[in-house]
Amino acid sequence: MLSPGALQTLNNCYSRFDGQHLADSPLNQNWREVTARRKASLHYSLYTEGRKHSKQASKLRVLPVQGQASTQKMKSYQKLTADVPQITESGEEAADGKPLCHQKLSAWWLGGGLLTVATLLSGVTVWVLGQIWWGQHGTPPLTKCVSIPESLRFDCFPERSTVVTRELCEARGCCFVDGDWPSGSTKGVPWCFYPPDFPSYTLGSLNETELGLRGFLTRKAKTYYPRDVEKLQLSVEFETDARLHVKITDATKSRYEVPLDVPPATKRAENPLYTIEFSKEPFGLIVKRKSSGTVLLNTTVAPLFFADQFLQISTVLPSTFIYGLGEHRSNFLHSLEWNTLTFWARDVPPTESYNLYGVHPFYLAMERDGASHGVFLMNSNAMEVVLQPAPALTWRPVGGILDFYIFLGPDPNLVVQQYQQVIGFPTMPPFWGLGFHLCRWGYGTSNETWEIVKAMRNFQIPQAAQWNDIDYMDGYRDFTIDSQKFGTLPQLVEDLHKHGQRYVMILDPGISSTQPPGSYWPYDEGLKRGIFINSTQGKPLIGKVWPGLTAFPDFSNLNTHQWWLENLDRFHSLVPFDGLWIDMNEPSNFVDGSTAGCSQEELDKPPYVPAVLGNSLSAKTICASSRQNASVHYNLHNLYGLMEAKATASALVKIRGKRPFVISRSSFPSQGRYSGHWLGDNRSEWKDMVCSIPGVLSFSLFGIPLVGADICGFSGSTSEELCTRWMQLGAFYPFARNHNTQDVKAQDPSAFSPAARTAMKTALEVRYALLPYLYSLFHRAHLQGDTVARPLFFEFPKDVATYSIDRQFLWGRGLLLTPVLEPGVNSVVGYFPRGLWYDYYTGSSVNSSGENLKMAAPLDHINVHVREGTILPTQKLGGSTSVGSGNALHLIAALSQNANAWGDLYWDDGESLDTFAKGDYSYLVFNVTQNTFTSTVLHSNAGATYVTVDALSVYGVREEPKAVTVNGKERPFTYLTNQVLTVSDLQLNLSRGFSVHWM
């Protein structure tokens, strides 16, 4: 019998993955029973850390089966067997010519271990012969299939157009268990799934590079999809301590890759937060968090596919708490109950289970100990992501490459920041862009639009910008004005500007192609310059949108950007708009493909079609085979909105010389660098208001903080109660716009009863008071990728109760919003994480132990609470959002239980370009400690001299002060029984530091 030490050594030499890497996932013992049958493939794993500066550190180390840590680093390797020598760094055997493991085992080998090893090898031989038999007969053994737990069945036949039969399934070499056996199977569980030994890739040589490792994967057995890529290149780069980059692509020829400007890594991470291990046959990789050992990724659980138009890789997940993966309508926390999410930009009102306007293949996961990580697949092709209750996830794109970035956080705020370090930080919006916007499809004339603006002024309801939908166009053609109905539009825009307001108008990408030659410059010039997307015949593809037959600009072509700029410049000379709303840019098409249809080739009819709405890649968009400058539309479709936003933002900068304001419907990673987003054509229903919060929070994860839904709903007629509640919620969307469609009731605030109108006005006034705080949050988003609208668990990652909350949200770290989302109620229940929370309006406090609290919520009130330790810069109310309005500041300090607080303020002129980079800004930090409020100016510009601090309120002052001094001079104050201290009429210049002390 082997001694424990000898047995451990044997395990070291014959190491394989046996299910213990799933220890951090809620999987049962059945999985270990399944993987125990995979004896024909002796797995091995490798572990890497940061670069060590010793000769020993560069050697390979084979891990024991438990995946124990090592301080050594690998160069190359080979799967270990009893008669194959281990490869050292130089590729040679050990000094005595014996395998290294043979040396280690020599002591017990002579003592009787030979007999035991022979017995083991005999058993393996019998098993291998059995597998050969099953391979020849083509049907997996029944015991091998039924032992796989339902939660770990990975779908072998994902095609939805086919009813899967046993014959079809087993023809693919997969396991088949129909829905009636075993009894009690959950809906969605695959009937046809991979056996443990389904053929995959084998990892060959692996060599060290300057940034990490490079190896090659080979496939011997073909799959059931055409054009397998038989040799792949694996690149693993340790880009930063918190970022790992894993890339798998064709080793013999180039493939399409997403043309994003990703900053390259310049040196290898020295102290990475992660470790990575590999399985050779079948190939797989395992990424762990070094500090806890938590398995973040494990792709050994299912075979890797890499065919020309079908790629698939699966991984187990460390928990069931998965967020992101947009754009979809769902709860913020995704369901893992056999949930398939499809990614293919599509014009469709937000609906559950549909692929919507944008594509964001990024998820954030919370781990069991409160740590967080994120994964981004940089792939712009159509794809599916399948979530299953193991928990596990499958990526299934139909083109491109597998290009993964893994972000280690470890807290969720850092994960999102690290993601944006790759895709780019969001643009800094103009200050006016954070005000209230008003729009409607159905303003029949410019004069009708003007009347709405005047009514808003008459009721003194804050409004930053007025918008127009396609009504203003002549025949719905871009860059035109209906001179009969909108002849006074230039005068309206002039009036808006005189009142410190802005004007935003819509543009669609489809360009009318039916006007007489010489009569419509956008099409004539575009045709002349060759900037339209072409069909396979090499001529402009013609679809149909609002103006009728249309051609589609190719925004992957830089010549198109110049043409777009010239069109906008010409139009701006007629109507001096301040911002642009780019719609229909999935791109949307009222016919499938084109007026001439699409080809019958594999770009239009790929071997596998993801579960897209319409069951075709050309459904309500253009043909996938369409030709663009950068590639075919099959690859670029999901980038169309991003590329249009980039061209539009660039044009606005050149035309206006100020920060661009662009709102786009379609989006893709890095969109936030150029535009904001609204959540599309929602409905005037309570359910849609509820769903808007998960939508806003998801786009916060995607690096697009300027986001909001159409307040009060776009389609259908709202009710007064619904619109009042929605205006209260919408006042706290980062992007706040009320918008609805034609032929329904008006829903601007002036259209309602005095009581409802007053409630809406009050909510907007709260928003306007908080604009300095909101603007500072956007500065932090622009500078380092902070979120603006923030999930509660971002601030309380140890509080599992916050993980599923999506009916409340935070502004930054310090402001908690609890809206009413149901009809006919006058109270609301909200969760308050542990700590002190102060009512924003009164300063009264509640000390929560981490509990749900019921609060009064009459129709004229939205509950807003300030987190302990927060200082909010607010402003006295004004009717416009011009920074130069000179509104005085009112600072609110909410003391922690230790009587401390912190806050900051970023201030500039609100619209100039690159103010932070140029140093043309002011930045102040506020602190409270030892009964003293201090304002410290860290950077100042001339603009701050025009702003004064008029008042300071301190929430949570436990005893009434005897005196208050401002810069050493005693001042009058008020103190309320709810422990609120207020010092008014300060008249302090923002550009100078000051202190307020109470005793």
Side-chain angles (χ1 to χ4, degrees):
M1 187 173 184
L2 298 180
S3 68
L7 181 61
Q8 181 63 54
T9 305
L10 182 64
N11 283 337
N12 288 352
C13 293
Y14 288 84
S15 63
R16 62 176 175 80
F17 174 74
D18 70 346
Q20 293 193 26
H21 292 295
L22 299 179
D24 293 295
S25 302
L27 304 179
N28 55 34
Q29 183 63 30
N30 289 338
W31 174 242
R32 293 189 175 91
E33 295 173 2
V34 173
T35 55
R37 296 184 175 89
R38 304 180 69 174
K39 298 183 185 292
S41 170
L42 296 177
H43 291 176
Y44 67 96
S45 56
L46 300 174
Y47 173 98
T48 63
E49 283 191 348
R51 181 178 301 272
K52 307 293 186 220
H53 300 289
S54 67
K55 182 177 179 180
Q56 180 184 11
S58 64
K59 294 181 180 178
L60 166 73
R61 178 168 179 193
V62 181
L63 290 179
V65 71
Q66 290 87 351
Q68 294 167 345
S70 167
T71 59
Q72 295 176 319
K73 183 172 61 182
M74 60 192 165
K75 281 278 193 170
S76 56
Y77 59 87
Q78 181 173 324
K79 180 178 70 177
L80 298 179
T81 65
D83 56 356
V84 179
Q86 176 180 353
I87 298 176
T88 64
E89 180 176 359
S90 61
E92 300 175 353
E93 298 179 359
D96 60 0
K98 296 181 180 180
L100 296 182
C101 283
H102 186 280
Q103 292 177 337
K104 294 179 181 179
L105 299 177
S106 60
W108 63 264
W109 185 283
L110 296 176
L114 180 61
L115 178 61
T116 303
V117 171
T119 303
L120 290 173
L121 290 177
S122 298
V124 170
T125 301
V126 172
W127 189 88
V128 169
L129 290 174
Q131 291 301 301
I132 294 174
W133 189 92
W134 285 116
Q136 291 174 342
H137 288 74
T139 304
L142 182 61
T143 56
K144 179 169 58 177
C145 295
V146 298
S147 60
I148 300 177
E150 286 187 350
S151 65
L152 273 168
R153 294 180 183 175
F154 292 88
D155 199 347
C156 178
F157 215 114
E159 289 84 351
R160 283 166 171 72
S161 59
T162 303
V163 177
V164 184
T165 63
R166 181 179 298 275
E167 291 73 22
L168 288 174
C169 177
E170 292 179 350
R172 292 186 170 185
C174 291
C175 298
F176 183 84
V177 177
D178 65 36
D180 296 327
W181 183 83
S183 60
S185 294
T186 304
K187 181 180 180 181
V189 178
W191 293 7
C192 183
F193 50 95
Y194 299 109
D197 55 356
F198 190 92
S200 185
Y201 285 87
T202 299
L203 175 62
S205 61
L206 191 66
N207 299 302
E208 190 169 358
T209 66
E210 183 179 355
L211 294 176
L213 302 164
R214 180 176 297 133
F216 294 94
L217 314 177
T218 56
R219 171 180 282 282
K220 297 178 181 178
K222 292 187 178 297
T223 68
Y224 41 85
Y225 290 108
R227 298 185 301 282
D228 284 301
V229 179
E230 296 181 0
K231 185 176 182 180
L232 300 173
Q233 177 176 289
L234 167 70
S235 172
V236 179
E237 294 185 345
F238 313 115
E239 294 195 341
T240 71
D241 288 347
R243 185 172 82 227
L244 176 67
H245 186 191
V246 177
K247 186 174 180 179
I248 302 174
T249 188
D250 193 324
T252 60
K253 62 180 181 180
S254 63
R255 290 177 62 85
Y256 165 77
E257 298 186 26
V258 181
L260 284 189
D261 298 326
V262 176
T266 57
K267 68 174 184 176
R268 181 172 176 157
E270 295 181 355
N271 298 292
L273 301 177
Y274 47 83
T275 66
I276 184 166
E277 304 169 12
F278 298 90
S279 166
K280 178 180 181 180
E281 187 175 10
F283 164 74
L285 58 86
I286 301 159
V287 178
K288 293 182 178 180
R289 184 178 298 281
K290 187 185 296 185
S291 61
S292 64
T294 300
V295 176
L296 309 183
L297 295 177
N298 179 356
T299 71
T300 66
V301 292
L304 168 67
F305 281 71
F306 203 118
D308 185 40
Q309 290 182 272
F310 184 89
L311 291 72
Q312 182 172 279
I313 189 168
S314 302
T315 178
V316 291
L317 300 167
S319 79
T320 58
F321 300 108
I322 305 298
Y323 311 85
L325 297 173
E327 180 176 8
H328 298 95
R329 176 160 166 165
S330 67
N331 294 333
F332 183 47
L333 173 64
H334 281 296
S335 167
L336 271 64
E337 292 299 318
W338 303 104
N339 183 14
T340 297
L341 304 172
T342 310
F343 297 75
W344 186 247
R346 169 66 191 252
D347 173 7
V348 62
T351 305
E352 289 79 358
S353 78
Y354 286 178
N355 49 296
L356 300 182
Y357 311 106
V359 167
H360 295 273
F362 165 79
Y363 71 81
L364 182 145
M366 292 299 295
E367 301 157 30
R368 291 182 173 184
D369 60 358
S372 180
H373 70 277
V375 176
F376 170 42
L377 173 57
M378 192 160 71
N379 183 298
S380 63
N381 289 90
M383 75 172 77
E384 293 169 340
V385 170
V386 181
L387 300 170
Q388 61 191 75
L393 177 150
T394 296
W395 299 94
R396 193 181 288 149
V398 296
I401 66 171
L402 297 175
D403 193 0
F404 289 101
Y405 289 86
I406 301 100
F407 310 100
L408 272 288
D411 75 66
N413 291 288
L414 287 174
V415 170
V416 173
Q417 290 177 15
Q418 292 156 7
Y419 174 45
Q420 291 175 86
Q421 288 170 5
V422 170
I423 64 170
F425 296 122
T427 184
M428 182 68 184
F431 193 85
W432 63 265
L434 305 183
F436 177 62
H437 301 250
L438 189 57
C439 184
R440 182 175 187 177
W441 181 21
Y443 293 134
T445 66
S446 52
N447 286 340
E448 183 180 339
T449 309
W450 208 339
E451 289 304 313
I452 297 298
V453 174
K454 293 176 181 177
M456 292 286 287
R457 291 176 190 162
N458 181 55
F459 292 117
Q460 297 184 327
I461 301 172
Q463 181 186 0
Q466 179 63 49
W467 296 38
N468 273 122
D469 209 314
I470 58 175
D471 311 274
Y472 77 86
M473 300 177 182
D474 184 7
Y476 299 142
R477 293 187 296 276
D478 279 351
F479 311 114
T480 66
I481 298 175
D482 184 333
S483 59
Q484 298 298 314
K485 297 179 180 179
F486 281 81
T488 59
L489 185 56
Q491 290 75 36
L492 165 59
V493 174
E494 181 182 4
D495 178 68
L496 289 169
H497 290 166
K498 286 181 178 179
H499 286 83
Q501 296 170 298
R502 304 300 195 277
Y503 181 68
V504 180
M505 57 203 320
I506 194 171
L507 281 176
D508 294 337
I511 300 298
S512 175
S513 61
T514 59
Q515 305 309 303
S519 65
Y520 185 46
W521 193 87
Y523 181 72
D524 292 338
E525 191 63 21
L527 200 62
K528 177 181 176 181
R529 300 187 191 185
I531 57 86
F532 294 117
I533 295 176
N534 287 331
S535 68
T536 54
Q537 284 73 42
K539 296 181 179 180
L541 179 142
I542 302 300
K544 186 177 182 181
V545 200
W546 294 115
L549 299 181
T550 55
F552 297 86
D554 176 11
F555 288 104
S556 77
N557 185 346
L558 291 181
N559 293 331
T560 307
H561 290 217
Q562 179 62 30
W563 166 87
W564 191 247
L565 165 64
E566 292 175 25
N567 276 286
L568 288 171
D569 195 25
R570 289 159 58 100
F571 194 50
H572 190 265
S573 65
L574 300 175
V575 181
F577 51 82
D578 302 287
L580 288 170
W581 167 25
I582 50 177
D583 193 8
M584 308 290 286
N585 55 350
E586 291 72 31
S588 178
N589 188 0
F590 294 168
V591 298
D592 292 346
S594 76
T595 54
C598 298
S599 76
Q600 298 300 305
E601 299 177 357
E602 288 190 326
L603 289 177
D604 290 309
K605 296 185 177 297
Y608 181 80
V609 179
V612 297
L613 179 62
N615 302 311
S616 168
L617 297 184
S618 64
K620 296 300 178 282
T621 189
I622 64 178
C623 300
S625 61
S626 305
R627 298 175 182 174
Q628 296 186 237
N629 182 70
S631 187
V632 290
H633 194 69
Y634 183 88
N635 295 326
L636 298 178
H637 172 82
N638 289 332
L639 297 171
Y640 195 86
L642 168 63
M643 291 178 168
E644 185 192 16
K646 185 176 181 179
T648 305
S650 174
L652 280 174
V653 168
K654 293 175 182 177
I655 292 169
R656 301 183 66 247
K658 299 175 181 179
R659 289 180 213 163
F661 179 83
V662 182
I663 298 294
S664 174
R665 189 167 72 179
S666 189
S667 60
F668 191 80
S670 82
Q671 188 89 24
R673 296 172 61 185
Y674 312 107
S675 81
H677 171 68
W678 97 103
L679 297 176
D681 297 338
N682 58 3
R683 305 164 187 85
S684 296
E685 299 176 4
W686 289 91
K687 178 182 178 181
D688 287 66
M689 178 171 63
V690 172
C691 290
S692 71
I693 300 177
V696 167
L697 294 179
S698 292
F699 275 87
S700 294
L701 305 190
F702 301 150
I704 308 176
L706 189 64
V707 59
D710 280 344
I711 298 172
C712 300
F714 173 73
S715 64
S717 290
T718 189
S719 68
E720 183 163 287
E721 181 188 12
L722 171 60
C723 198
T724 301
R725 291 302 193 188
W726 209 330
M727 282 290 295
Q728 291 168 345
L729 168 61
F732 293 93
Y733 291 155
F735 166 59
R737 182 186 70 164
N738 180 315
H739 175 52
N740 69 326
T741 190
Q742 56 186 353
D743 301 325
V744 296
K745 294 179 181 178
Q747 62 186 37
D748 61 271
S750 68
F752 293 98
S753 69
R757 186 170 63 238
T758 299
M760 295 177 186
K761 176 184 177 182
T762 299
L764 289 177
E765 287 176 342
V766 175
R767 177 188 183 87
Y768 273 59
L770 287 164
L771 281 179
Y773 176 66
L774 181 61
Y775 192 62
S776 299
L777 291 178
F778 269 96
H779 167 68
R780 297 178 71 88
H782 170 63
L783 190 64
Q784 62 187 37
D786 281 10
T787 53
V788 175
R790 187 170 300 175
L792 270 69
F793 74 82
F794 269 47
E795 291 298 319
F796 303 93
K798 301 289 187 181
D799 186 349
V800 179
T802 64
Y803 287 12
S804 61
I805 292 177
D806 57 10
R807 296 170 70 94
Q808 296 171 275
F809 60 99
L810 296 160
W811 265 13
R813 66 173 301 276
L815 206 64
L816 176 63
L817 294 316
T818 309
V820 171
L821 303 172
E822 299 170 350
V825 300
N826 58 12
S827 64
V828 64
V829 174
Y831 181 77
F832 286 75
R834 179 181 296 273
L836 275 175
W837 296 87
Y838 296 90
D839 185 298
Y840 168 77
Y841 308 100
T842 68
S844 297
S845 66
V846 57
N847 193 353
S848 173
S849 61
E851 56 194 311
N852 287 304
L853 299 175
K854 185 176 182 180
M855 298 164 284
L859 191 57
D860 62 353
H861 182 75
I862 178 173
N863 279 276
V864 182
H865 287 81
V866 187
R867 181 184 179 184
E868 64 171 306
T870 300
I871 298 178
L872 297 175
T874 72
Q875 67 176 0
K876 299 288 187 177
L877 297 182
S880 74
T881 52
S882 298
V883 176
S885 60
N887 296 339
L889 297 183
H890 178 190
L891 305 178
I892 299 174
L895 299 184
S896 69
Q897 297 181 62
N898 296 324
N900 299 322
W902 182 93
D904 64 349
L905 172 65
Y906 175 83
W907 202 254
D908 60 21
D909 69 7
E911 61 180 3
S912 293
L913 295 165
D914 303 321
T915 52
F916 182 77
K918 296 175 181 177
D920 192 15
Y921 66 95
S922 293
Y923 181 69
L924 295 83
V925 170
F926 309 118
N927 277 289
V928 175
T929 183
Q930 297 181 345
N931 294 346
T932 302
F933 179 101
T934 303
S935 174
T936 304
V937 180
L938 298 184
H939 191 92
S940 183
N941 69 340
T945 62
Y946 300 103
V947 181
T948 59
V949 176
D950 182 64
L952 169 66
S953 293
V954 184
Y955 297 168
V957 177
R958 296 175 185 175
E959 297 181 0
E960 182 174 0
K962 297 178 181 178
V964 172
T965 62
V966 177
N967 291 333
K969 296 181 180 180
E970 192 167 330
R971 297 290 298 270
F973 64 93
T974 61
Y975 182 80
L976 304 179
T977 56
N978 62 348
Q979 301 183 343
V980 175
L981 167 68
T982 300
V983 187
S984 301
D985 197 26
L986 293 174
Q987 298 299 308
L988 296 169
N989 195 292
L990 187 66
S991 63
R992 298 175 184 173
F994 63 88
S995 65
V996 178
H997 179 71
W998 55 96
M999 62 194 80

Coordinates of all heavy atoms in Angstrom, one line a residue, residues 372-404:
S372 N -15.5 41.1 -6.3 CA -16.2 41.3 -7.6 C -15.2 41.2 -8.7 O -14.0 41.6 -8.5 CB -17.0 42.6 -7.6 OG -17.6 42.7 -8.9
H373 N -15.6 40.7 -9.8 CA -14.8 40.6 -11.0 C -15.7 40.9 -12.2 O -16.9 40.8 -12.1 CB -14.0 39.3 -11.1 CG -14.9 38.1 -11.5 ND1 -15.5 37.4 -10.5 CD2 -15.2 37.5 -12.7 CE1 -16.2 36.4 -11.1 NE2 -16.0 36.5 -12.4
G374 N -15.1 41.1 -13.4 CA -15.8 41.4 -14.6 C -15.1 40.7 -15.8 O -13.9 40.4 -15.7
V375 N -15.9 40.3 -16.8 CA -15.4 39.7 -18.0 C -16.0 40.4 -19.2 O -17.2 40.6 -19.3 CB -15.7 38.2 -18.0 CG1 -15.2 37.6 -19.4 CG2 -15.1 37.5 -16.8
F376 N -15.1 40.8 -20.1 CA -15.5 41.4 -21.4 C -15.0 40.6 -22.6 O -13.9 40.3 -22.7 CB -14.9 42.8 -21.4 CG -15.0 43.5 -22.8 CD1 -16.2 43.5 -23.5 CD2 -14.0 44.3 -23.3 CE1 -16.3 44.2 -24.7 CE2 -14.1 44.9 -24.5 CZ -15.2 44.9 -25.2
L377 N -16.0 40.2 -23.4 CA -15.6 39.5 -24.7 C -15.7 40.6 -25.8 O -16.7 41.1 -26.1 CB -16.6 38.4 -25.0 CG -16.4 37.8 -26.4 CD1 -15.0 37.3 -26.6 CD2 -17.4 36.7 -26.6
M378 N -14.5 41.0 -26.3 CA -14.5 42.0 -27.3 C -14.7 41.3 -28.7 O -13.8 40.9 -29.4 CB -13.1 42.7 -27.3 CG -13.2 44.0 -28.2 SD -11.9 45.2 -27.9 CE -10.5 44.3 -28.5
N379 N -16.0 41.2 -29.0 CA -16.5 40.6 -30.2 C -17.7 41.3 -30.6 O -18.6 41.5 -29.8 CB -16.7 39.1 -29.9 CG -17.1 38.3 -31.2 OD1 -18.2 38.6 -31.8 ND2 -16.4 37.3 -31.5
S380 N -17.8 41.7 -31.9 CA -19.0 42.5 -32.4 C -19.9 41.7 -33.2 O -20.8 42.2 -33.8 CB -18.5 43.7 -33.1 OG -17.8 43.4 -34.3
N381 N -19.7 40.4 -33.4 CA -20.6 39.6 -34.2 C -21.8 39.2 -33.4 O -21.9 39.4 -32.2 CB -19.8 38.3 -34.6 CG -18.8 38.6 -35.7 OD1 -17.6 38.8 -35.3 ND2 -19.1 38.6 -36.9
A382 N -22.8 38.7 -34.1 CA -24.0 38.2 -33.5 C -23.6 37.1 -32.5 O -22.7 36.3 -32.8 CB -25.0 37.7 -34.5
M383 N -24.2 37.1 -31.4 CA -23.9 36.0 -30.4 C -25.0 35.8 -29.5 O -26.0 36.5 -29.4 CB -22.6 36.4 -29.7 CG -22.8 37.4 -28.6 SD -21.3 37.7 -27.6 CE -20.3 38.6 -28.7
E384 N -24.9 34.7 -28.8 CA -25.7 34.3 -27.6 C -24.8 34.2 -26.4 O -23.7 33.8 -26.5 CB -26.5 33.0 -27.9 CG -27.5 33.1 -29.0 CD -28.0 31.7 -29.4 OE1 -27.3 30.7 -29.0 OE2 -29.0 31.6 -30.0
V385 N -25.4 34.5 -25.3 CA -24.9 34.1 -24.0 C -25.9 33.3 -23.3 O -27.0 33.7 -23.1 CB -24.4 35.3 -23.2 CG1 -24.1 34.9 -21.7 CG2 -23.3 36.1 -23.8
V386 N -25.5 32.1 -22.9 CA -26.5 31.2 -22.2 C -26.1 31.1 -20.7 O -24.9 30.8 -20.4 CB -26.4 29.8 -22.8 CG1 -27.4 28.9 -22.1 CG2 -26.7 29.9 -24.3
L387 N -27.0 31.4 -19.9 CA -26.8 31.3 -18.4 C -27.6 30.1 -17.9 O -28.7 29.9 -18.2 CB -27.3 32.6 -17.7 CG -26.7 33.9 -18.2 CD1 -27.4 35.1 -17.6 CD2 -25.2 34.0 -17.8
Q388 N -26.9 29.3 -17.1 CA -27.6 28.1 -16.6 C -27.2 28.0 -15.1 O -26.2 28.5 -14.6 CB -27.2 26.9 -17.4 CG -25.7 26.5 -17.4 CD -25.4 25.4 -18.4 OE1 -25.3 25.7 -19.6 NE2 -25.1 24.2 -17.9
P389 N -28.0 27.2 -14.3 CA -28.0 27.3 -12.9 C -26.8 26.6 -12.2 O -26.8 26.5 -11.0 CB -29.3 26.6 -12.5 CG -29.7 25.8 -13.6 CD -29.2 26.4 -14.8
A390 N -25.8 26.1 -12.9 CA -24.7 25.4 -12.3 C -24.1 26.1 -11.1 O -23.8 25.4 -10.1 CB -23.7 25.0 -13.4
P391 N -23.7 27.4 -11.2 CA -24.0 28.4 -12.2 C -22.9 28.3 -13.3 O -21.7 28.0 -13.0 CB -23.9 29.7 -11.5 CG -23.0 29.4 -10.4 CD -23.1 28.0 -10.0
A392 N -23.3 28.6 -14.5 CA -22.3 28.5 -15.7 C -22.8 29.5 -16.8 O -24.0 29.9 -16.8 CB -22.2 27.1 -16.2
L393 N -21.9 29.7 -17.7 CA -22.2 30.7 -18.8 C -21.5 30.2 -20.0 O -20.4 29.7 -20.0 CB -21.7 32.1 -18.4 CG -21.8 33.2 -19.4 CD1 -21.9 34.5 -18.7 CD2 -20.5 33.3 -20.3
T394 N -22.2 30.3 -21.1 CA -21.6 29.9 -22.5 C -21.7 31.1 -23.4 O -22.7 31.8 -23.5 CB -22.4 28.8 -23.1 OG1 -22.3 27.6 -22.3 CG2 -21.9 28.4 -24.5
W395 N -20.5 31.5 -24.0 CA -20.4 32.5 -25.0 C -20.5 31.8 -26.4 O -19.9 30.8 -26.6 CB -19.1 33.2 -25.0 CG -18.8 33.9 -23.7 CD1 -18.0 33.5 -22.6 CD2 -19.1 35.3 -23.4 NE1 -17.9 34.5 -21.7 CE2 -18.6 35.6 -22.1 CE3 -19.8 36.3 -24.1 CZ2 -18.7 36.8 -21.5 CZ3 -20.0 37.5 -23.4 CH2 -19.4 37.8 -22.2
R396 N -21.3 32.3 -27.3 CA -21.6 31.7 -28.6 C -21.7 32.7 -29.7 O -22.7 33.0 -30.2 CB -22.8 30.8 -28.5 CG -23.1 29.8 -29.6 CD -24.4 29.1 -29.4 NE -24.3 28.2 -28.3 CZ -25.4 27.8 -27.5 NH1 -26.5 28.5 -27.7 NH2 -25.3 27.0 -26.6
P397 N -20.5 33.3 -30.1 CA -20.5 34.2 -31.2 C -20.5 33.5 -32.5 O -20.0 32.3 -32.6 CB -19.3 35.1 -31.0 CG -18.4 34.2 -30.2 CD -19.2 33.3 -29.4
V398 N -20.9 34.1 -33.6 CA -20.8 33.4 -34.9 C -19.8 34.0 -35.9 O -19.9 34.0 -37.1 CB -22.2 33.5 -35.6 CG1 -23.2 32.7 -34.8 CG2 -22.7 34.9 -35.8
G399 N -18.8 34.6 -35.3 CA -17.7 35.1 -36.1 C -16.6 35.8 -35.2 O -16.7 35.8 -34.0
G400 N -15.6 36.4 -35.8 CA -14.6 37.0 -35.1 C -13.7 36.1 -34.4 O -13.4 35.0 -34.8
I401 N -13.2 36.5 -33.2 CA -12.3 35.7 -32.4 C -12.8 35.8 -30.9 O -13.8 36.5 -30.6 CB -10.9 36.3 -32.5 CG1 -10.8 37.7 -31.8 CG2 -10.3 36.3 -33.9 CD1 -9.4 38.2 -31.7
L402 N -12.1 35.0 -30.1 CA -12.4 35.0 -28.7 C -11.3 35.9 -28.0 O -10.2 35.5 -27.9 CB -12.4 33.6 -28.1 CG -13.4 32.7 -28.6 CD1 -13.2 31.2 -28.1 CD2 -14.8 33.2 -28.3
D403 N -11.7 37.1 -27.6 CA -10.8 38.1 -27.1 C -11.3 38.6 -25.7 O -12.2 39.5 -25.7 CB -10.7 39.2 -28.1 CG -9.6 40.2 -27.8 OD1 -8.8 39.9 -26.8 OD2 -9.4 41.2 -28.6
F404 N -10.9 38.0 -24.7 CA -11.4 38.2 -23.3 C -10.5 39.1 -22.5 O -9.3 39.0 -22.5 CB -11.6 36.9 -22.6 CG -12.7 36.0 -23.1 CD1 -12.4 34.9 -23.9 CD2 -14.0 36.3 -22.8 CE1 -13.4 34.1 -24.4 CE2 -15.0 35.4 -23.2 CZ -14.7 34.4 -24.1

